[in-house]
Amino acid sequence: GAVKGALWFLAGKLNMGADSVQRGVEGLTYLLTESSKLMISEIDFQDSIHVLGFSDELNKLLLQLYLDNRKEIRSILGELAPKLPSYHSLEWRLDVQLASRSLRQQIKPAVTIKLHLNQNEEQTAQVLQTDPSTLLHLIQQLEQALGEMKTNHCRRIVRNMK
């Protein structure tokens, strides 16, 4: 209700349709949010808005709006982000089934993992069970991801996220 009223008020003042004003506000919000997430430089921001075809005066106003508000926008986005659990500790156990009633010669290994996590100052535990080959595959994937984090491309992305 209040948002629609504000859009109609702005539309009347700007001699535009309410839909056009709403799209403009959404576009401006998206531009400032995405730019603040990436903490892009002043030059990159100017390059981004230059292609929109606005006047030099409007481009300067948008740049100043971005520079004045990017830290506050980032802090608000950080508060809105979900608080994910963090690692605390890990327990594991290897179980091997050597035989059953139907199969006397059988080796069936299983790895049981108890993962302790911290979330909102509380500890929780998750119990997972897998076979050794799946665990080895998971380890290989994690090692590959760690290797990719050492590339220049990923370092640049992480540096821009801070």
Side-chain angles (χ1 to χ4, degrees):
V3 173
K4 280 191 176 184
L7 286 174
W8 281 106
F9 176 76
L10 280 173
K13 288 286 186 185
L14 298 172
N15 294 325
M16 298 173 67
D19 290 339
S20 298
V21 173
Q22 182 175 355
R23 283 194 302 275
V25 169
E26 288 170 354
L28 181 60
T29 302
Y30 180 79
L31 173 70
L32 293 174
T33 303
E34 292 302 310
S35 299
S36 298
K37 275 183 197 176
L38 300 172
M39 283 299 279
I40 63 174
S41 68
E42 190 174 324
I43 293 168
D44 290 338
F45 185 83
Q46 286 176 327
D47 289 345
S48 298
I49 60 174
H50 181 72
V51 299
L52 298 174
F54 296 138
S55 67
D56 288 341
E57 183 181 339
L58 183 55
N59 286 346
K60 286 178 185 175
L61 285 171
L62 288 172
L63 174 63
Q64 195 58 49
L65 184 67
Y66 168 66
L67 294 175
D68 291 345
N69 295 293
R70 65 181 170 184
K71 289 182 181 173
E72 186 177 352
I73 292 170
R74 248 180 107 75
S75 70
I76 291 170
L77 290 173
E79 291 171 12
L80 294 176
K83 304 293 184 225
L84 298 174
S86 61
Y87 171 81
H88 180 264
S89 64
L90 179 107
E91 299 175 50
W92 63 275
R93 182 180 75 218
L94 177 64
D95 296 315
V96 180
Q97 182 177 345
L98 298 174
S100 66
R101 289 182 187 172
S102 59
L103 295 170
R104 294 192 178 171
Q105 297 287 323
Q106 160 183 320
I107 296 178
K108 187 177 175 186
V111 178
T112 304
I113 300 168
K114 187 173 187 181
L115 187 60
H116 297 274
L117 304 170
N118 292 330
Q119 187 170 18
N120 300 329
E121 300 178 14
E122 293 181 21
Q123 275 199 3
T124 59
Q126 297 289 326
V127 178
L128 311 164
Q129 190 172 41
T130 186
D131 59 285
S133 62
T134 303
L135 184 59
L136 285 173
H137 179 69
L138 178 62
I139 291 169
Q140 289 170 350
Q141 292 297 308
L142 289 171
E143 286 175 345
Q144 182 181 351
L146 285 173
E148 288 177 12
M149 283 300 296
K150 294 177 183 175
T151 64
N152 288 334
H153 179 68
C154 283
R155 285 182 183 167
R156 253 181 276 129
I157 291 171
V158 170
R159 190 172 44 244
N160 287 329
M161 289 174 57
K162 291 181 180 178

